[in-house]
C-alpha cells in the first residue's frame, strides 16, 4: 500500500480522479510528475487496473527511466506491464509490429539528423537543385514543420498555389518521402506521422491499442506538437481517460513545432475535462521561487498562476557580472570547488546551465584543469563518432540492407576500389527499377556499363551475405567482432598507431561493452532491437546517474530536472535573450526566451547563482554585452552581487592578483591572439616532479613527464599518458602527483 498521505489535497484529488479527461495545469516544482507516478500506483493498487492497460508518456528517455523507477518503488512488483515511454519510442514499438500495414518492412531503419542530411544532399543532386540558393537544411526544416502539423506531400501541395519556393519544397518533400520508403526508413518525425496514419487507416489496429491503453497520461504536455496531440486524442477517443500535466509557463519547444495552444485549448477539445491546479512548490526556496515569479510575470500571454512555498526563504540569489567569459567560467568553477570543500554541496548537486551548446567549452576547460569531474549532456555524442558510425552502418546493412545510406557508407570500408562513377551507375540502376541500392549491387552482373567494376562489387555482396548468415546464429557482439575481424578495422587502426587511432580503438571497445550490456539487460536481445535502442538515445540520456560529477547542459535539456545548486550562466542581452528574439517581429519569441529563463531558475532547489560577462568571444571576435533584462526583472531585494565572497574565497597566495591578468586579457582580446591559459597563476610551491618522472592525473591516469616549461605565471607540463597520449597542461591546475 503506497502512502498517499505524502500528497497535498489538490495532488490527491488529481491522483484519485481516474475516469474522464483531466488537465493538471501547474507551475514548476509543484509535483506534477510526482502526481503522475502516484496516479499509476493508485490505478494498479486501488482500482485494480491491469498495468498492461496503462500508458505514460514522458519527454525524454531519461524521464521515462526515472518514472519507471519511481513507479516500481511505489507499486513494488507488477508494474512491468505499464508502458512508460517517450512519444518516439512508443511509436517505434507500435510500428515495429504494424509498419507492414503501411507498406514498410517492420525492420525499418530510423534515420538520424546526419542520415537525413546525406539523403537530402542526394535528392538535391538528383533534382538538380542549386544548394547555394536552396539549402538542404531549409528543405529539412520545412519538411519537418509540415510533419509536425501532420501534412504529407499531398496535403502540402494544396497550399503551394503559385509560390515558387513552396513548389520546390513540395517536389523535394515528395522525393524525400518516396526515397525513405524505398530505403525502408523513417526519420524521427515520421515515427509520429506514420503511427497516426496507421491508426487512421487501420481501424482494427487502432481499436487494439485503444483497448489496450485505457488510461493514458502525458507529462510535459505543454511541449507536444499538433501531431503528438492528435496521436493521443485518437488513442484516448474510446475511453477518454486521458490525463495531461503541464505548465504553460514552461513551453520552450515552439521552434520545434510545439503548440502551446494544445494546453490552453485542452478544455475546448475535451469539454468535460476536469481542471486541477497545483500552487504549492516543494522544490525551491522562497527566494528562488520569488525570482522565478518576478521574471515570468513579465510575460503577457499566460494563465495567471500563484506559486507559493512553505520552504525556508533561503539564501539570496547571487548575481555576478564578470569581466570576461573566461572569468565567468573561473568564477563558477571556483565556487563549485569551494562549496564542495566546505561540504556544502557534492559535485553531483551542481548544474551549470547555458543557452547554447557552444557555451559549454569554457566551462569544460576550466573544470578539466581544476580536476573537477563533470558530465556534458548533449555535446559530441558518442554515436556521432566516425568509427562508431562505420560499425553501426555495417550492423545496419546486415540487419536491413534496404538502408541505402548505410550500405553506401561502408562499401569502401575497407577500401575496395569501387569508384564514384561505378556507384553512380548502380544508383541509377536502382532508381530506374525502384529497388534498393543493395539489391542493385546484387544485380551488378546485369549492369552492363559497370564493366570490370563488377569484379570489385561482387566480393562485397558475398561478404554481406556471409555476415547475414552469421547473424542467424551469432549474438550481436559476436557479429560485431566478426565484422571487425573480417574487415580488419581495428588491425588497420593499430597499424596507424597514432593517439587518435588509439582513442578510436577505445571507442570501439566501448561499443562492444555497450552491446554486451544491452544483451545482458534485455530479455530477447536482437540486432534490430540493439540498433533501435541506439537510434533512440537522446543526448540527455548520456547522463550517468551513479557517479559524482557536475552536470553541464543547455536550458532545454534541463527541463523537468532539479539540482540543489544551479549556475545560470551567460545572462546577457544578445546571448540570453538572444539577438534574434530581441529583434524578432513576433513578441512571443522574447516570451519564449523568458519561459526558458523561468525553467532555468526553477531547476534550483537551495542555491541559485546567475552570471554574465561584459565581454565574450564570438567567432574569434570580442563582443561587448549588457546585462540581460531577465536579471533586471528579478526583484532587487532577492539579489546579492557576491563580489566580497569571491575575493575572500581565493587564497591570496595562489591568486595574488586576480584582476590584472584580466586587464591583460582584455588587451589580448583585441589582438585576437588570446590564450586564456596565458593568464593562469603560478603555483607558489615548486614542482615535486621533473622530466622523466611518472605522474598521475585524476582523469588521464598515469603518464611520463616529457617536458616542463616555465611560463612565468605557471609551468606548462607535457605529459605522455599511457591511456590518452600526449597532453600539455598547466601545473597549478593539473595537480599531477608523482608516483
Ligand atoms: N506533496 C509533496 N510533499 C513533499 N515533496 C513533494 C510533494 N510534491 C512534490 N514534492 C517534491 O517536489 C519536487 C518537485 O516535484 P516534481 O518534479 O514532481 O514537480 P513538477 O511539477 O513535475 O516540476 P517541473 O515543472 O519542473 O517538471 C520533487 O522533489 C518532489 O519529490
Ligand atoms: Mg515534472
Amino acid at each position: 500500500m503506497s502512502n498517499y498521505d505524502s500528497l497535498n489535497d489538490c495532488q490527491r484529488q488529481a491522483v484519485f480522479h481516474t475516469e474522464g479527461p483531466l488537465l493538471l495545469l501547474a507551475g514548476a516544482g509543484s509535483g506534477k510528475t510526482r502526481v503522475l507516478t502516484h496516479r499509476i500506483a493508485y490505478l494498479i493498487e486501488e482500482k485494480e487496473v491491469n498495468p498492461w492497460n496503462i500508458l505514460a508518456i514522458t519527454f525524454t528517455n531519461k524521464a521515462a527511466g526515472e518514472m519507471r523507477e519511481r513507479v516500481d518503488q511505489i507499486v513494488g512488483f507488477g508494474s512491468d506491464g505499464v508502458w512508460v515511454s517517450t512519444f518516439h519510442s512508443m511509436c517505434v514499438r507500435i510500428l515495429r509490429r504494424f509498419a507492414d500495414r503501411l507498406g514498410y518492412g517492420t525492420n525499418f531503419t530510423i534515420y538520424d539528423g546526419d542520415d537525413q542530411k546525406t539523403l537530402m544532399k542526394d535528392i538535391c543532386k538528383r533534382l538538380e537543385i542549386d544548394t547555394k540558393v536552396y539549402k538542404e537544411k531549409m528543405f529539412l526544416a520545412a519538411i519537418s514543420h509540415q510533419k509536425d502539423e501532420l501534412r504529407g506531400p499531398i496535403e502540402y501541395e494544396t497550399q503551394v498555389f503559385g509560390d515558387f519556393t513552396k513548389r520546390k519544397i513540395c517536389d523535394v518533400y515528395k522525393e524525400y518521402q518516396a526515397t525513405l520508403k524505398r530505403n525502408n526508413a523513417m526519420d524521427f518525425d515520421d515515427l509520429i506521422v506514420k503511427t497516426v496514419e496507421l491508426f487512421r487507416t487501420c481501424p482494427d489496429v487502432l481499436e487494439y491499442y485503444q483497448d489496450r491503453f485505457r488510461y493514458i497520461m502525458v507529462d510535459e504536455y505543454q511541449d507536444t506538437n499538433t501531431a503528438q496531440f492528435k496521436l493521443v486524442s485518437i488513442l484516448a477517443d474510446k475511453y477518454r481517460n486521458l490525463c495531461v500535466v503541464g505548465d504553460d509557463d514552461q513551453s520552450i519547444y515552439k521552434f520545434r513545432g510545439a503548440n502551446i495552444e494544445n494546453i490552453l485549448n485542452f478544455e475546448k477539445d475535451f469539454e468535460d475535462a476536469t481542471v486541477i491546479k497545483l500552487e504549492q512548490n516543494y522544490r525551491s526556496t522562497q527566494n528562488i521561487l520569488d525570482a522565478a515569479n518576478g521574471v515570468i510575470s513579465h510575460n503577457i500571454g499566460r494563465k495567471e498562476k500563484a506559486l507559493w512555498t512553505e520552504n525556508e526563504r533561503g539564501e539570496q540569489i547571487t548575481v555576478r557580472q564578470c569581466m570576461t567569459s573566461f572569468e565567468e567560467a573561473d568564477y563558477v568553477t571556483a565556487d563549485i570547488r569551494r562549496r564542495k570543500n566546505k561540504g556544502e554541496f557534492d559535485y553531483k548537486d551542481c548544474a551549470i546551465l547555458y543557452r547554447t551548446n557552444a557555451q559549454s567549452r569554457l566551462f569544460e576547460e576550466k573544470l578539466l584543469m581544476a580536476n573537477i569531474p563533470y558530465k556534458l549532456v548533449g555535446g559530441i555524442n558518442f554515436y556521432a563518432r566516425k568509427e562508431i558510425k562505420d560499425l553501426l552502418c555495417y550492423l545496419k546493412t546486415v540487419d536491413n540492407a534496404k538502408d541505402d545510406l548505410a550500405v553506401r557508407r561502408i562499401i569502401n570500408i575497407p577500401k575496395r576500389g569501387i569508384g564514384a562513377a561505378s556507384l553512380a551507375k548502380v544508383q541509377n540502376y536502382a532508381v530506374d527499377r525502384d529497388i534498393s541500392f543493395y539489391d542493385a549491387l546484387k544485380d551488378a552482373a546485369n549492369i552492363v556499363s559497370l564493366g570490370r567494376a563488377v569484379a570489385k562489387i561482387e566480393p562485397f555482396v558475398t561478404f554481406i551475405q556471409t555476415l547475414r548468415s552469421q547473424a542467424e546464429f551469432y549474438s550481436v557482439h559476436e557479429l560485431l567482432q566478426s565484422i571487425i575481424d573480417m574487415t580488419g578495422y581495428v588491425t588497420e587502426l593499430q597499424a596507424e598507431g597514432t593517439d587518435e587511432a588509439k582513442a578510436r580503438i577505445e571507442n570501439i571497445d566501448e561499443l562492444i561493452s555497450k552491446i554486451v550490456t544491452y544483451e545482458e539487460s534485455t530479455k530477447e536481445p536482437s540486432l534490430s532491437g540493439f540498433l533501435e535502442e541506439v537510434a533512440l538515445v537522446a543526448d540527455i540520456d548520456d547522463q550517468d546517474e551513479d557517479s559524482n560529477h557536475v552536470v553541464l547542459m543547455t536550458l532545454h535539456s534541463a527541463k523537468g530536472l532539479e539540482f540543489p545548486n544551479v549556475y545560470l550562466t551567460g545572462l546577457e542581452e544578445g546571448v540570453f535573450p538572444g539577438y534574434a528574439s530581441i529583434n524578432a517581429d513576433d513578441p512571443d519569441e522574447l516570451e519564449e526566451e523568458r519561459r526558458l529563463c523561468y525553467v532555468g531558475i526553477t531547476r534550483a532547489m537551495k542555491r541559485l547563482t546567475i552570471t554574465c560577462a561584459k565581454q565574450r568571444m564570438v567567432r574569434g571576435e570580442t563582443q561587448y554585452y549588457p546585462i540581460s533584462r531577465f536579471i533586471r526583472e528579478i526583484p532587487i531585494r532577492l539579489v546579492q552581487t557576491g563580489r566580497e565572497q569571491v575575493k575572500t574565497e581565493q587564497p591570496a597566495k595562489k591568486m595574488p592578483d586576480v584582476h590584472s591578468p584580466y586587464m591583460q586579457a582584455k588587451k589580448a582580446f583585441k589582438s585576437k591572439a588570446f590564450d586564456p591559459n596565458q593568464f593562469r597563476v603560478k603555483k607558489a610551491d615548486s614542482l615535486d616532479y621533473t622530466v622523466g618522472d611518472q605522474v598521475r592525473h585524476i582523469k588521464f591516469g598515469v603518464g611520463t613527464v616529457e617536458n616542463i616549461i616555465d611560463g612565468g605565471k605557471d609551468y606548462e607540463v607535457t605529459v605522455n599518458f599511457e591511456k590518452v597520449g600526449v597532453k600539455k597542461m598547466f601545473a597549478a591546475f593539473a595537480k599531477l602527483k608523482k608516483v
Side-chain angles (χ1 to χ4, degrees):
M1 172 80 203
S2 62
N3 190 2
Y4 302 103
D5 298 344
S6 70
L7 302 169
N8 68 34
D9 286 348
C10 297
Q11 291 176 331
R12 224 174 292 138
Q13 197 191 338
V15 168
F16 297 164
H17 183 288
T18 55
E19 313 302 305
L22 172 68
L23 165 64
L24 184 58
L25 180 68
S30 58
K32 296 183 294 298
T33 305
R34 188 174 158 121
V35 163
L36 281 193
T37 47
H38 278 81
R39 207 165 173 276
I40 296 172
Y42 181 75
L43 283 167
I44 298 172
E45 290 184 337
E46 306 294 323
K47 291 275 168 166
E48 296 183 350
V49 171
N50 188 337
W52 163 269
N53 289 136
I54 300 173
L55 167 68
I57 299 175
T58 61
F59 204 72
T60 58
N61 288 326
K62 178 177 157 50
E66 266 175 21
M67 184 172 289
R68 167 151 298 289
E69 237 168 65
R70 287 210 234 170
V71 172
D72 284 347
Q73 263 172 21
I74 306 175
V75 182
F77 79 121
S79 65
D80 291 9
V82 180
W83 267 31
V84 184
S85 77
T86 62
F87 272 107
H88 287 99
S89 42
M90 163 180 114
C91 290
V92 173
R93 259 175 105 168
I94 294 172
L95 291 168
R96 284 277 176 237
R97 205 163 152 194
F98 289 108
D100 52 342
R101 302 285 289 271
L102 299 171
Y104 287 80
T106 49
N107 62 342
F108 60 87
T109 307
I110 301 162
Y111 275 12
D112 64 13
D114 272 1
D115 298 335
Q116 284 179 283
K117 254 184 250 158
T118 316
L119 176 62
M120 189 50 79
K121 240 186 218 158
D122 245 32
I123 287 172
C124 288
K125 213 185 263 172
R126 233 182 291 156
L127 299 183
E128 295 177 352
I129 287 167
D130 182 356
T131 47
K132 285 202 194 77
V133 183
Y134 297 100
K135 298 252 182 325
E136 288 106 346
K137 254 168 73 184
M138 183 279 287
F139 287 120
L140 284 172
I143 290 173
S144 173
H145 182 64
Q146 295 310 314
K147 288 184 177 176
D148 287 342
E149 299 292 323
L150 282 179
R151 276 193 292 268
I154 312 278
E155 288 85 0
Y156 183 58
E157 191 151 34
T158 61
Q159 309 200 336
V160 167
F161 304 112
D163 188 313
F164 189 73
T165 309
K166 283 187 179 169
R167 174 81 260 153
K168 272 230 149 41
I169 293 172
C170 189
D171 293 343
V172 171
Y173 192 4
K174 276 185 196 163
E175 187 62 25
Y176 178 77
Q177 280 316 109
T179 317
L180 280 175
K181 189 148 186 191
R182 208 161 45 228
N183 291 358
N184 194 25
M186 299 192 194
D187 64 19
F188 261 61
D189 298 322
D190 274 345
L191 297 176
I192 314 283
V193 173
K194 293 295 164 190
T195 307
V196 173
E197 193 182 318
L198 176 73
F199 288 159
R200 278 180 173 164
T201 52
C202 307
D204 57 320
V205 177
L206 173 61
E207 188 153 16
Y208 168 80
Y209 282 108
Q210 283 179 332
D211 284 336
R212 162 134 200 201
F213 300 129
R214 283 177 201 218
Y215 294 89
I216 302 175
M217 277 155 268
V218 185
D219 198 1
E220 306 279 2
Y221 179 69
Q222 74 278 1
D223 281 322
T224 50
N225 62 31
T226 305
Q228 291 164 334
F229 174 64
K230 204 72 221 164
L231 180 66
V232 230
S233 0
I234 299 175
L235 264 181
D237 199 39
K238 188 166 172 187
Y239 294 97
R240 302 179 59 74
N241 297 325
L242 173 63
C243 164
V244 301
V245 316
D247 177 4
D248 51 314
D249 286 334
Q250 292 185 67
S251 163
I252 53 174
Y253 277 97
K254 189 167 158 246
F255 70 99
R256 270 206 214 153
N259 191 348
I260 195 170
E261 303 296 315
N262 282 345
I263 200 160
L264 300 177
N265 290 337
F266 188 83
E267 293 159 83
K268 276 191 213 140
D269 295 330
F270 293 88
E271 275 177 7
D272 51 337
T274 304
V275 182
I276 297 177
K277 293 186 179 171
L278 305 176
E279 295 184 330
Q280 180 170 2
N281 171 296
Y282 289 89
R283 178 181 294 147
S284 311
T285 64
Q286 186 74 57
N287 277 343
I288 292 170
L289 199 58
D290 288 352
N293 284 336
V295 171
I296 198 67
S297 67
H298 287 78
N299 270 5
I300 297 163
R302 68 186 282 262
K303 287 196 171 190
E304 193 65 37
K305 281 194 286 298
L307 214 49
W308 57 278
T309 185
E310 280 176 357
N311 292 346
E312 55 178 13
R313 183 143 283 286
E315 287 177 55
Q316 280 182 305
I317 290 152
T318 302
V319 172
R320 172 73 194 240
Q321 187 183 30
C322 302
M323 192 66 87
T324 68
S325 46
F326 303 105
E327 192 190 323
E328 182 190 35
D330 260 345
Y331 171 74
V332 171
T333 307
D335 197 65
I336 291 175
R337 186 174 33 203
R338 188 170 59 92
R339 291 179 194 280
K340 157 85 178 166
N341 289 346
K342 266 176 37 185
E344 196 179 342
F345 294 112
D346 225 338
Y347 289 138
K348 67 173 183 314
D349 296 333
C350 306
I352 304 175
L353 308 180
Y354 36 80
R355 177 68 184 84
T356 60
N357 255 313
Q359 284 166 258
S360 75
R361 188 182 62 89
L362 285 178
F363 292 105
E364 285 190 72
E365 285 176 9
K366 303 286 178 190
L367 290 166
L368 191 74
M369 283 191 277
N371 277 335
I372 294 177
Y374 69 90
K375 180 93 183 176
L376 184 70
V377 178
I380 260 225
N381 194 320
F382 177 77
Y383 294 99
R385 294 173 196 163
K386 180 186 179 301
E387 59 282 7
I388 302 303
K389 282 207 123 182
D390 286 347
L391 292 174
L392 285 176
C393 281
Y394 257 108
L395 290 175
K396 279 188 198 169
T397 303
V398 175
D399 184 44
N400 166 16
K402 284 191 171 167
D403 183 352
D404 290 2
L405 295 182
V407 180
R408 291 179 66 160
R409 181 177 178 106
I410 55 151
I411 191 161
N412 277 313
I413 296 174
K415 288 202 180 70
R416 296 189 176 88
I418 305 169
S422 305
L423 292 177
K425 285 172 195 161
V426 176
Q427 175 70 21
N428 287 339
Y429 184 87
V431 171
D432 287 348
R433 281 162 190 72
D434 204 23
I435 58 174
S436 74
F437 186 77
Y438 185 73
D439 285 341
L441 286 173
K442 283 209 289 199
D443 227 346
N446 294 327
I447 309 176
V448 187
S449 58
L450 276 177
R452 276 183 303 166
V454 176
K456 290 175 182 161
I457 290 172
E458 275 173 350
F460 173 72
V461 174
T462 316
F463 180 44
I464 297 298
Q465 296 301 110
T466 311
L467 290 171
R468 292 186 143 192
S469 50
Q470 288 182 345
E472 308 250 7
F473 52 91
Y474 274 7
S475 67
V476 186
H477 81 270
E478 286 170 332
L479 180 67
L480 181 68
Q481 195 56 56
S482 173
I483 292 170
I484 291 171
D485 293 342
M486 288 164 74
T487 53
Y489 203 102
V490 169
T491 324
E492 217 167 272
L493 287 171
Q494 277 163 346
E496 209 178 305
T498 59
D499 287 345
E500 199 198 12
K502 273 187 218 152
R504 288 188 195 282
I505 295 173
E506 282 169 20
N507 286 337
I508 294 171
D509 290 344
E510 182 63 29
L511 178 65
I512 296 172
S513 316
K514 161 78 193 172
I515 295 178
V516 173
T517 317
Y518 160 78
E519 286 171 335
E520 282 172 356
S521 64
T522 311
K523 269 193 207 130
E524 287 172 322
S526 68
L527 181 52
S528 311
F530 172 71
L531 291 171
E532 188 178 296
E533 186 172 63
V534 167
L536 286 171
V537 194
D539 290 340
I540 183 148
D541 298 314
D542 276 349
Q543 213 176 325
D544 175 1
E545 283 304 321
D546 306 329
S547 46
N548 187 14
H549 45 58
V550 175
V551 173
L552 272 69
M553 63 180 142
T554 65
L555 288 153
H556 280 96
S557 308
K559 200 171 66 150
L561 306 178
E562 57 189 22
F563 301 90
N565 183 27
V566 168
Y567 299 86
L568 203 53
T569 67
L571 261 86
E572 296 129 34
E573 285 292 295
V575 175
F576 187 34
Y579 274 127
S581 66
I582 295 172
N583 298 321
D585 296 331
D586 181 0
D588 191 52
E589 302 231 343
L590 189 65
E591 298 216 338
E592 174 135 331
E593 293 278 292
R594 191 175 280 114
R595 290 193 290 271
L596 193 56
C597 183
Y598 175 76
V599 168
I601 295 174
T602 54
R603 297 312 95 198
M605 300 164 82
K606 296 254 175 288
R607 254 200 75 81
L608 175 66
T609 302
I610 298 179
T611 60
C612 56
K614 283 185 182 162
Q615 302 173 4
R616 185 177 289 281
M617 213 185 256
V618 180
R619 263 173 256 102
E621 301 211 10
T622 303
Q623 308 277 351
Y624 296 84
Y625 294 99
I627 286 183
S628 168
R629 70 189 70 193
F630 300 149
I631 290 183
R632 299 187 192 285
E633 289 167 3
I634 298 174
I636 191 76
R637 66 183 162 83
L638 306 173
V639 171
Q640 60 160 13
T641 61
R643 273 205 174 268
E644 270 45 67
Q645 221 180 339
V646 175
K647 265 190 187 161
T648 51
E649 171 246 316
Q650 307 284 2
K653 202 167 70 179
K654 273 194 178 171
M655 285 271 194
D657 185 2
V658 93
H659 287 296
S660 82
Y662 291 103
M663 296 317 288
Q664 294 176 42
K666 208 173 159 187
K667 258 190 256 159
F669 265 145
K670 288 182 183 141
S671 73
K672 286 196 189 171
F674 183 76
D675 171 7
N677 294 331
Q678 117 197 36
F679 302 102
R680 303 230 145 274
V681 183
K682 186 166 171 173
K683 216 179 162 184
D685 39 332
S686 61
L687 305 175
D688 64 356
Y689 48 81
T690 178
V691 174
D693 280 350
Q694 294 271 101
V695 289
R696 181 186 299 279
H697 182 271
I698 196 164
K699 187 159 178 149
F700 301 134
V702 176
T704 311
V705 178
E706 293 196 334
N707 196 13
I708 298 177
I709 298 170
D710 189 345
K713 298 229 173 265
D714 193 2
Y715 295 104
E716 187 196 89
V717 187
T718 308
V719 184
N720 192 348
F721 289 102
E722 285 163 10
K723 282 205 193 119
V724 295
V726 177
K727 300 252 174 220
K728 280 187 186 170
M729 42 190 46
F730 286 90
F733 288 85
K735 298 229 184 80
L736 297 165
K737 292 235 164 59
K738 189 171 167 180
V739 289

